[in-house]
Amino acid sequence: PVFLVSDVAVAALQIAMMGHLAQIYDLILSAKAKLYLLTSLGTTVLGVTLRMLASSAMKAIPFLSAAGMAADALVSAVATGAVGALYRELFRRVRGKALMGEVTPEDLEAVMSLQEQREFFKSYLERIRQPLMELVEDLQNMDISAVEAALAST
């Protein structure tokens, strides 16, 4: 596990996802619109980015590397899901403007302000957080010997 390598890969996947979602919604994004999305996204997901850095740093510590990899994968998956949901909502809203040509940052801002983007992202994370916390709690309360016995009997 190398510090920050997975974060760069996740960022590249999220940028590619933006392009694919734009194609699905038949949007032509101007270069300024793409830059706007990337910079607004950066400020919107700052808290998640810090968590990703912390989990990535954990991978560099030998006795924490397994926990760091698991945390990194979970945070990356949740963040990518939230980013995708945000892009989907933005593109759904701006789709009508795409009929008139290239989508600009002003078009994106008109359909969803930066504050609304932050609230949408945060709301999505909160909705997904509860089931994940329940799953973690179930895993912590799981009787390993019962699981091993069940697996051995199959």
Side-chain angles (χ1 to χ4, degrees):
V2 180
F3 182 62
L4 296 179
V5 170
S6 63
D7 298 331
V8 172
V10 168
L13 289 171
Q14 290 174 352
I15 291 168
M17 179 175 55
M18 175 182 54
H20 289 295
L21 284 171
Q23 285 178 335
I24 289 169
Y25 283 90
D26 293 325
L27 297 177
I28 300 169
L29 299 174
S30 69
K32 287 183 180 180
K34 291 175 186 174
L35 184 60
Y36 168 83
L37 285 170
L38 294 174
T39 56
S40 68
L41 182 64
T43 59
T44 301
V45 299
L46 184 59
V48 174
T49 303
L50 294 175
R51 286 186 196 98
M52 288 173 75
L53 289 173
S55 61
S56 191
M58 284 175 58
K59 292 187 302 187
I61 303 169
F63 61 91
L64 291 178
S65 64
M69 286 187 276
D72 191 35
L74 181 63
V75 170
S76 296
V78 170
T80 301
V83 167
L86 176 60
Y87 285 155
R88 184 189 66 211
E89 182 63 19
L90 257 172
F91 294 166
R92 185 189 65 76
R93 291 184 186 188
V94 80
R95 190 175 193 175
K97 295 188 180 286
L99 298 174
M100 295 178 258
E102 201 170 56
V103 176
T104 65
E106 294 78 20
D107 295 331
L108 294 167
E109 182 71 27
V111 298
M112 184 183 264
S113 70
L114 189 55
Q115 182 61 33
E116 190 178 356
Q117 288 178 41
R118 288 184 182 128
E119 290 169 7
F120 183 93
F121 187 83
K122 190 175 181 182
S123 169
Y124 186 89
L125 288 179
E126 285 302 315
R127 284 194 323 261
I128 202 166
R129 182 177 177 262
Q130 186 58 37
L132 288 174
M133 295 306 290
E134 290 174 12
L135 177 63
V136 168
E137 186 176 316
D138 288 347
L139 290 172
Q140 289 173 337
N141 295 329
M142 188 180 295
D143 180 11
I144 298 299
S145 59
V147 173
E148 289 173 345
L151 290 174
S153 67
T154 56

